[in-house]
Structure formats: structure tokens, C-alpha cells
Coordinates of all heavy atoms in Angstrom, one line a residue:
M28 N -10.4 58.5 9.1 CA -10.8 58.2 10.5 C -11.2 59.5 11.2 O -10.6 60.5 11.1 CB -9.6 57.6 11.2 CG -9.8 57.2 12.6 SD -10.5 55.5 12.6 CE -10.9 55.3 14.2
D29 N -12.3 59.4 11.9 CA -12.9 60.5 12.7 C -12.1 60.7 14.0 O -11.9 59.8 14.7 CB -14.3 60.3 13.0 CG -15.2 60.3 11.7 OD1 -14.7 60.7 10.6 OD2 -16.3 59.8 11.8
E30 N -11.8 62.0 14.3 CA -11.1 62.3 15.5 C -12.2 62.9 16.4 O -12.8 63.9 16.1 CB -10.0 63.3 15.3 CG -9.3 63.8 16.6 CD -8.3 64.9 16.3 OE1 -8.1 65.3 15.1 OE2 -7.8 65.4 17.3
E31 N -12.4 62.4 17.6 CA -13.3 63.0 18.6 C -12.7 64.1 19.4 O -11.7 63.9 20.0 CB -13.8 61.8 19.5 CG -15.0 62.3 20.4 CD -15.6 61.1 21.1 OE1 -16.5 60.4 20.5 OE2 -15.2 60.8 22.2
L32 N -13.3 65.2 19.3 CA -12.8 66.4 20.1 C -13.4 66.5 21.5 O -12.7 66.9 22.4 CB -13.1 67.7 19.3 CG -12.5 67.7 17.8 CD1 -13.0 68.9 17.1 CD2 -11.0 67.6 17.9
I33 N -14.7 66.2 21.6 CA -15.4 66.2 22.9 C -16.6 65.4 22.8 O -17.3 65.3 21.7 CB -15.7 67.7 23.3 CG1 -16.3 67.7 24.7 CG2 -16.6 68.4 22.3 CD1 -16.4 69.1 25.3
C34 N -17.0 64.8 23.9 CA -18.2 63.9 23.9 C -18.9 64.1 25.2 O -18.3 64.2 26.3 CB -17.8 62.5 23.7 SG -19.3 61.4 23.6
R35 N -20.2 64.2 25.2 CA -21.1 64.4 26.4 C -22.3 63.5 26.2 O -22.8 63.3 25.1 CB -21.5 65.8 26.6 CG -20.4 66.8 26.9 CD -19.8 66.6 28.2 NE -18.8 67.5 28.5 CZ -17.5 67.4 28.4 NH1 -17.0 66.2 27.8 NH2 -16.6 68.3 28.7
Q36 N -22.8 63.0 27.3 CA -24.0 62.2 27.3 C -25.1 62.8 28.2 O -24.8 63.3 29.2 CB -23.8 60.7 27.7 CG -22.9 60.0 26.7 CD -22.8 58.5 27.1 OE1 -22.7 58.2 28.2 NE2 -22.7 57.7 26.1
V37 N -26.4 62.6 27.8 CA -27.5 63.1 28.6 C -28.5 62.0 28.6 O -29.0 61.5 27.6 CB -28.1 64.4 27.9 CG1 -29.3 64.9 28.7 CG2 -27.1 65.5 27.8
Q38 N -29.0 61.7 29.8 CA -30.0 60.7 30.0 C -31.3 61.5 30.2 O -31.4 62.3 31.1 CB -29.8 59.9 31.3 CG -30.8 58.8 31.6 CD -30.6 57.6 30.7 OE1 -29.5 57.1 30.5 NE2 -31.7 57.1 30.2
V39 N -32.3 61.2 29.3 CA -33.6 61.8 29.4 C -34.6 60.7 29.4 O -34.8 60.0 28.4 CB -33.9 62.8 28.2 CG1 -35.3 63.4 28.3 CG2 -32.8 63.8 28.1
E40 N -35.2 60.5 30.6 CA -36.2 59.4 30.8 C -35.5 58.1 30.4 O -34.4 57.8 30.9 CB -37.5 59.7 30.1 CG -38.2 60.9 30.7 CD -39.4 61.4 29.9 OE1 -39.8 60.7 29.0 OE2 -39.8 62.5 30.2
R41 N -36.0 57.4 29.4 CA -35.4 56.1 29.1 C -34.5 56.2 27.9 O -34.0 55.2 27.4 CB -36.5 55.1 28.8 CG -37.4 55.4 27.6 CD -38.5 54.4 27.4 NE -39.4 54.8 26.3 CZ -39.2 54.5 25.1 NH1 -38.1 53.8 24.7 NH2 -40.0 54.9 24.1
K42 N -34.2 57.4 27.4 CA -33.3 57.6 26.3 C -32.0 58.1 26.7 O -31.9 58.9 27.6 CB -34.0 58.6 25.3 CG -35.3 58.1 24.7 CD -35.8 59.1 23.8 CE -37.1 58.6 23.2 NZ -37.5 59.4 22.0
L43 N -30.9 57.7 26.0 CA -29.6 58.2 26.3 C -29.1 58.9 25.0 O -29.1 58.3 23.9 CB -28.6 57.0 26.6 CG -27.2 57.4 26.8 CD1 -27.0 58.3 28.0 CD2 -26.3 56.2 27.0
F44 N -28.8 60.2 25.1 CA -28.3 61.0 24.0 C -26.8 61.2 24.1 O -26.4 61.6 25.2 CB -29.1 62.3 23.9 CG -30.5 62.2 23.6 CD1 -31.4 62.2 24.7 CD2 -31.0 62.1 22.3 CE1 -32.8 62.1 24.4 CE2 -32.3 62.0 22.1 CZ -33.3 62.0 23.1
S45 N -26.1 60.9 23.1 CA -24.6 61.2 23.0 C -24.4 62.3 22.0 O -24.9 62.2 20.9 CB -23.9 59.9 22.6 OG -24.1 58.9 23.6
F46 N -23.6 63.3 22.4 CA -23.2 64.4 21.6 C -21.7 64.3 21.4 O -21.0 64.5 22.4 CB -23.6 65.7 22.2 CG -25.1 65.9 22.4 CD1 -25.8 65.3 23.5 CD2 -25.8 66.7 21.5 CE1 -27.1 65.5 23.7 CE2 -27.2 66.8 21.7 CZ -27.9 66.2 22.8
A47 N -21.3 64.1 20.2 CA -19.8 64.0 20.0 C -19.4 65.0 18.9 O -19.9 64.9 17.7 CB -19.5 62.6 19.5
L48 N -18.6 65.9 19.2 CA -18.0 66.8 18.2 C -16.8 66.1 17.7 O -15.8 65.8 18.4 CB -17.6 68.2 18.8 CG -17.1 69.2 17.9 CD1 -18.2 69.6 16.8 CD2 -16.6 70.4 18.6
K49 N -16.8 65.9 16.4 CA -15.7 65.2 15.7 C -15.2 66.0 14.5 O -15.8 66.9 14.1 CB -16.2 63.8 15.2 CG -16.7 62.9 16.3 CD -17.1 61.6 15.8 CE -17.4 60.6 16.9 NZ -17.5 59.2 16.4
Q50 N -14.0 65.5 14.0 CA -13.5 66.1 12.8 C -12.8 65.0 11.9 O -12.4 64.0 12.5 CB -12.6 67.2 13.0 CG -11.3 66.9 13.7 CD -10.4 68.2 13.9 OE1 -10.9 69.3 13.7 NE2 -9.2 68.0 14.3
N51 N -12.8 65.2 10.7 CA -12.1 64.3 9.7 C -11.6 65.2 8.6 O -11.8 66.4 8.7 CB -13.0 63.2 9.2 CG -14.3 63.7 8.5 OD1 -14.3 64.8 7.9 ND2 -15.3 62.9 8.5
P52 N -11.0 64.7 7.6 CA -10.4 65.5 6.5 C -11.4 66.4 5.8 O -11.1 67.4 5.2 CB -9.8 64.5 5.6 CG -9.4 63.3 6.4 CD -10.5 63.3 7.5
R53 N -12.7 66.0 5.9 CA -13.8 66.8 5.2 C -14.3 67.9 6.1 O -15.0 68.8 5.6 CB -14.9 65.9 4.8 CG -14.4 64.9 3.7 CD -15.5 63.9 3.3 NE -16.8 64.4 3.2 CZ -17.9 63.7 3.1 NH1 -17.8 62.4 3.2 NH2 -19.0 64.3 3.0
G54 N -14.0 67.9 7.4 CA -14.4 69.0 8.3 C -14.8 68.6 9.6 O -14.7 67.4 10.0
R55 N -15.4 69.5 10.4 CA -15.9 69.2 11.7 C -17.4 69.0 11.7 O -18.1 69.7 10.9 CB -15.5 70.4 12.6 CG -15.2 70.1 14.0 CD -14.7 71.2 14.8 NE -13.3 71.4 14.5 CZ -12.6 72.6 14.5 NH1 -13.3 73.7 14.7 NH2 -11.3 72.6 14.2
F56 N -17.9 68.2 12.6 CA -19.3 67.9 12.7 C -19.8 67.4 14.1 O -18.9 67.0 14.8 CB -19.7 66.9 11.6 CG -19.0 65.6 11.8 CD1 -19.5 64.5 12.5 CD2 -17.7 65.4 11.2 CE1 -18.8 63.3 12.6 CE2 -17.0 64.2 11.3 CZ -17.6 63.2 12.1
L57 N -21.1 67.6 14.3 CA -21.6 67.1 15.6 C -22.5 65.8 15.2 O -23.3 65.9 14.4 CB -22.5 68.1 16.2 CG -23.3 67.7 17.5 CD1 -22.3 67.4 18.6 CD2 -24.3 68.8 17.9
R58 N -22.2 64.7 15.9 CA -23.0 63.5 15.8 C -23.8 63.4 17.1 O -23.3 63.3 18.2 CB -22.1 62.3 15.6 CG -22.9 61.0 15.5 CD -22.0 59.8 15.5 NE -21.1 59.8 14.4 CZ -21.4 59.1 13.2 NH1 -22.5 58.5 13.1 NH2 -20.5 59.2 12.2
I59 N -25.1 63.4 16.9 CA -26.0 63.2 18.0 C -26.6 61.8 17.8 O -27.2 61.4 16.8 CB -27.2 64.2 18.0 CG1 -26.6 65.6 18.0 CG2 -28.1 64.0 19.2 CD1 -27.6 66.7 17.8
T60 N -26.4 60.9 18.8 CA -26.9 59.5 18.8 C -27.9 59.3 19.9 O -27.6 59.7 21.0 CB -25.7 58.6 18.9 OG1 -24.7 58.8 18.0 CG2 -26.2 57.1 18.8
E61 N -29.0 58.7 19.5 CA -30.1 58.4 20.5 C -30.0 56.9 20.7 O -30.1 56.1 19.7 CB -31.4 58.8 20.0 CG -32.6 58.3 20.8 CD -33.9 58.5 20.1 OE1 -34.0 58.3 18.9 OE2 -34.9 58.7 20.8
D62 N -29.9 56.4 21.9 CA -29.9 55.0 22.2 C -31.1 54.7 23.1 O -31.2 55.2 24.2 CB -28.6 54.6 23.0 CG -28.4 53.1 23.1 OD1 -29.4 52.4 23.1 OD2 -27.3 52.7 23.3
V63 N -32.0 53.8 22.6 CA -33.2 53.4 23.3 C -33.2 51.9 23.4 O -33.4 51.3 22.3 CB -34.5 54.0 22.7 CG1 -35.7 53.6 23.5 CG2 -34.4 55.5 22.6
N64 N -33.0 51.3 24.5 CA -33.0 49.9 24.7 C -32.2 49.2 23.6 O -32.6 48.2 23.0 CB -34.5 49.4 24.6 CG -35.3 49.9 25.7 OD1 -34.8 50.1 26.8 ND2 -36.6 50.2 25.5
G65 N -31.0 49.7 23.3 CA -30.0 49.0 22.4 C -30.2 49.5 21.0 O -29.4 49.1 20.1
R66 N -31.3 50.2 20.6 CA -31.5 50.6 19.3 C -30.9 52.0 19.1 O -31.1 52.9 20.0 CB -33.0 50.7 18.9 CG -33.2 51.2 17.5 CD -34.7 51.1 17.2 NE -34.9 51.9 16.0 CZ -35.8 52.8 15.8 NH1 -36.6 53.1 16.8 NH2 -35.9 53.5 14.7
R67 N -30.1 52.2 18.1 CA -29.4 53.5 17.9 C -29.8 54.2 16.6 O -29.9 53.6 15.6 CB -27.9 53.3 17.9 CG -27.3 53.0 19.2 CD -25.8 53.0 19.1 NE -25.2 53.0 20.4 CZ -23.9 52.8 20.6 NH1 -23.1 52.6 19.6 NH2 -23.4 52.8 21.8
D68 N -30.0 55.5 16.7 CA -30.3 56.4 15.6 C -29.4 57.6 15.7 O -29.1 58.0 16.9 CB -31.7 56.8 15.6 CG -32.7 55.7 15.3 OD1 -32.5 55.0 14.3 OD2 -33.7 55.5 16.1
A69 N -28.9 58.1 14.6 CA -27.9 59.2 14.7 C -28.3 60.3 13.7 O -28.9 60.0 12.6 CB -26.5 58.7 14.4
V70 N -27.9 61.5 14.0 CA -28.0 62.7 13.2 C -26.7 63.3 13.2 O -26.0 63.4 14.2 CB -29.1 63.7 13.7 CG1 -29.1 65.0 12.9 CG2 -30.5 63.1 13.8
I71 N -26.2 63.7 12.0 CA -24.9 64.4 11.8 C -25.2 65.8 11.3 O -25.9 66.0 10.3 CB -24.0 63.6 10.9 CG1 -23.7 62.2 11.5 CG2 -22.7 64.4 10.7 CD1 -23.0 61.3 10.6
I72 N -24.6 66.8 12.1 CA -24.8 68.2 11.7 C -23.4 68.8 11.4 O -22.6 68.8 12.3 CB -25.5 69.0 12.8 CG1 -26.8 68.3 13.2 CG2 -25.6 70.4 12.5 CD1 -27.4 68.8 14.5
P73 N -23.2 69.3 10.2 CA -21.9 70.0 9.9 C -21.7 71.1 10.9 O -22.7 71.8 11.3 CB -22.0 70.4 8.5 CG -23.1 69.6 7.9 CD -24.0 69.3 9.0
S74 N -20.5 71.4 11.3 CA -20.3 72.5 12.3 C -20.7 73.8 11.8 O -21.1 74.7 12.5 CB -18.8 72.6 12.7 OG -18.0 72.9 11.5
T75 N -20.8 74.0 10.5 CA -21.3 75.3 9.9 C -22.8 75.5 10.2 O -23.2 76.6 10.1 CB -21.0 75.3 8.4 OG1 -21.7 74.1 7.8 CG2 -19.6 75.3 8.0
G76 N -23.5 74.5 10.6 CA -24.9 74.6 10.9 C -25.3 74.6 12.3 O -26.4 74.7 12.7
L77 N -24.3 74.5 13.2 CA -24.6 74.4 14.6 C -25.3 75.6 15.2 O -26.2 75.5 16.0 CB -23.3 74.1 15.4 CG -22.6 72.8 15.2 CD1 -21.4 72.6 16.0 CD2 -23.6 71.7 15.6
A78 N -24.9 76.8 14.8 CA -25.6 78.0 15.3 C -27.0 78.1 14.9 O -27.9 78.5 15.7 CB -24.8 79.3 14.8
Q79 N -27.3 77.6 13.6 CA -28.7 77.6 13.2 C -29.5 76.6 14.0 O -30.7 76.9 14.4 CB -28.8 77.2 11.7 CG -28.2 78.3 10.8 CD -28.1 77.7 9.4 OE1 -27.2 77.0 9.1 NE2 -29.0 78.2 8.5
V80 N -28.9 75.4 14.3 CA -29.6 74.4 15.0 C -29.9 74.9 16.5 O -31.0 74.7 17.0 CB -28.9 73.1 15.0 CG1 -29.5 72.1 16.0 CG2 -28.8 72.5 13.6
R81 N -28.9 75.6 17.0 CA -29.0 76.1 18.4 C -30.2 77.1 18.4 O -31.0 77.2 19.4 CB -27.8 76.8 18.8 CG -27.9 77.4 20.2 CD -26.6 78.0 20.7 NE -26.8 78.5 22.0 CZ -25.8 79.1 22.7 NH1 -24.6 79.2 22.2 NH2 -26.0 79.6 23.9
A82 N -30.3 78.0 17.4 CA -31.4 79.0 17.3 C -32.7 78.3 17.3 O -33.7 78.8 18.0 CB -31.2 79.9 16.1
V83 N -32.9 77.2 16.6 CA -34.1 76.5 16.5 C -34.4 75.9 17.9 O -35.6 75.9 18.4 CB -34.1 75.5 15.4 CG1 -35.3 74.6 15.5 CG2 -34.1 76.2 14.0
I84 N -33.4 75.3 18.5 CA -33.6 74.6 19.8 C -34.0 75.7 20.8 O -34.9 75.5 21.6 CB -32.4 73.8 20.2 CG1 -32.3 72.6 19.3 CG2 -32.5 73.4 21.7 CD1 -31.0 71.8 19.5
D85 N -33.4 76.8 20.8 CA -33.7 77.9 21.7 C -35.2 78.3 21.5 O -35.9 78.6 22.5 CB -32.8 79.1 21.6 CG -31.4 78.9 22.1 OD1 -31.2 78.0 22.9 OD2 -30.5 79.7 21.7
E86 N -35.6 78.4 20.3 CA -37.0 78.8 20.0 C -38.0 77.7 20.5 O -39.0 78.1 21.0 CB -37.1 78.9 18.4 CG -38.5 79.4 18.0 CD -38.6 79.6 16.5 OE1 -37.5 79.5 15.8 OE2 -39.7 79.8 16.0
M87 N -37.6 76.5 20.4 CA -38.5 75.4 20.9 C -38.5 75.4 22.4 O -39.6 75.2 23.0 CB -37.9 74.0 20.4 CG -38.0 73.8 19.0 SD -39.6 73.9 18.3 CE -39.3 74.3 16.6
I88 N -37.4 75.7 23.1 CA -37.4 75.8 24.5 C -38.4 77.0 25.0 O -39.2 76.8 25.9 CB -36.0 76.1 25.1 CG1 -35.2 74.8 24.9 CG2 -36.0 76.5 26.5 CD1 -33.7 75.0 25.1
E89 N -38.3 78.1 24.3 CA -39.2 79.2 24.7 C -40.6 78.9 24.4 O -41.5 79.2 25.2 CB -38.8 80.5 23.9 CG -37.5 81.1 24.4 CD -37.6 81.4 25.9 OE1 -38.6 82.0 26.4 OE2 -36.6 81.1 26.6
A90 N -40.9 78.2 23.3 CA -42.3 77.8 23.0 C -42.8 76.8 24.0 O -44.0 76.9 24.4 CB -42.4 77.2 21.6
D91 N -42.0 75.9 24.5 CA -42.4 74.9 25.5 C -42.7 75.7 26.8 O -43.7 75.4 27.5 CB -41.2 73.9 25.7 CG -41.6 72.9 26.8 OD1 -42.6 72.2 26.6 OD2 -40.8 72.7 27.7
R92 N -41.8 76.6 27.2 CA -42.1 77.4 28.4 C -43.4 78.2 28.3 O -44.2 78.2 29.3 CB -40.9 78.3 28.7 CG -39.7 77.7 29.2 CD -38.6 78.7 29.5 NE -37.4 78.0 29.9 CZ -36.2 78.5 29.7 NH1 -36.0 79.6 29.1 NH2 -35.1 77.8 30.1
A93 N -43.6 78.8 27.2 CA -44.8 79.6 27.0 C -46.1 78.8 27.0 O -47.1 79.2 27.4 CB -44.7 80.4 25.6
A94 N -46.0 77.5 26.6 CA -47.1 76.6 26.6 C -47.6 76.2 28.0 O -48.7 75.7 28.2 CB -46.8 75.4 25.7
G95 N -46.7 76.4 29.0 CA -47.1 76.0 30.3 C -46.9 74.6 30.6 O -46.3 73.8 29.7
P96 N -47.3 74.1 31.8 CA -47.0 72.7 32.1 C -47.8 71.8 31.2 O -49.0 72.1 30.8 CB -47.5 72.6 33.6 CG -48.2 73.8 33.9 CD -47.9 74.9 32.8
S97 N -47.3 70.6 30.9 CA -47.9 69.6 30.1 C -49.0 68.9 31.0 O -48.7 68.6 32.1 CB -46.9 68.6 29.6 OG -47.5 67.5 28.9
T98 N -50.1 68.6 30.4 CA -51.2 68.0 31.1 C -51.4 66.5 30.6 O -52.3 65.9 31.1 CB -52.5 68.7 30.9 OG1 -52.8 68.8 29.5 CG2 -52.4 70.1 31.5
T99 N -50.5 66.1 29.7 CA -50.6 64.7 29.2 C -49.3 64.0 29.2 O -48.3 64.6 29.5 CB -51.1 64.7 27.7 OG1 -50.1 65.2 26.9 CG2 -52.4 65.5 27.5
N100 N -49.3 62.7 29.0 CA -48.0 62.0 28.9 C -47.6 61.9 27.4 O -46.6 61.2 27.1 CB -48.2 60.6 29.4 CG -48.4 60.6 30.9 OD1 -47.8 61.4 31.6 ND2 -49.1 59.6 31.4
A101 N -48.2 62.7 26.5 CA -47.8 62.7 25.1 C -46.4 63.1 24.9 O -45.8 62.7 23.9 CB -48.7 63.5 24.3
D102 N -45.8 63.9 25.8 CA -44.4 64.3 25.6 C -43.4 63.3 26.1 O -42.2 63.6 26.2 CB -44.2 65.7 26.2 CG -44.5 65.8 27.7 OD1 -45.0 64.8 28.2 OD2 -44.2 66.8 28.3
L103 N -43.8 62.1 26.5 CA -42.9 61.0 26.9 C -42.6 60.1 25.8 O -42.7 58.9 25.9 CB -43.6 60.3 28.1 CG -43.9 61.1 29.3 CD1 -44.6 60.2 30.4 CD2 -42.7 61.7 29.9
V104 N -42.2 60.7 24.7 CA -41.9 59.9 23.5 C -40.8 58.9 23.7 O -39.8 59.2 24.3 CB -41.6 60.8 22.3 CG1 -41.2 60.1 21.1 CG2 -42.7 61.8 22.1

């Protein structure tokens, strides 16, 4: 059985993202769940990879800032 250590939710436009840090006998992991109109998709990241994922997300944030304001609705995925 998975034990939930902490859970947070973020609403971004029409999507709801849930971030749950959990642990079980095999280790600790982050489950990211996307809920769009009742449809759910999830990604599970072992805790050993969280720093690597954060580095990539930080890089994407910087690239987004450097690109300037969006001029299309293409980023409304």
C-alpha cells in the first residue's frame, strides 16, 4: 500500500495537476496526475530522479522566458 507524504494540486487553465509524494516498500516516488474533463493520465518519477527533472523544468522555464511573449494560442494545449 502506498503511503502519501504530501499532496498539492495546481489548476492551469482547464487542466488540474496533482502532485503526490508517496512511498511504499520499494521506495519513494512522485506521482503527477493530469485530470482533464474526467480523463486522467499519470507519470511516476522515482525520488532519485527528482533533481534531474527539476533541472530540466528549470531549463524549460528559462527557455520560455527567453522566447518572449507567446503570439499564438498554440500553448493552450
Side-chain angles (χ1 to χ4, degrees):
M28 183 86 187
D29 295 343
E30 176 188 358
E31 188 169 275
L32 302 174
I33 187 172
C34 183
R35 297 287 184 264
Q36 292 186 325
V37 177
Q38 180 80 41
V39 180
E40 296 171 10
R41 62 185 178 85
K42 298 181 179 194
L43 179 64
F44 295 96
S45 298
F46 297 81
L48 184 64
K49 298 184 174 194
Q50 68 181 9
N51 62 26
R53 293 175 44 195
R55 212 172 279 147
F56 58 94
L57 176 65
R58 177 187 298 266
I59 304 171
T60 305
E61 173 193 34
D62 189 338
V63 181
N64 298 326
R66 178 173 168 233
R67 286 185 167 173
D68 294 306
V70 173
I71 297 172
I72 303 167
S74 64
T75 55
L77 292 178
Q79 291 172 285
V80 171
R81 180 180 182 177
V83 170
I84 290 173
D85 287 343
E86 186 178 350
M87 296 300 156
I88 292 168
E89 287 304 314
D91 180 56
R92 285 183 184 150
S97 175
T98 58
T99 69
N100 289 330
D102 57 354
L103 300 178
V104 177

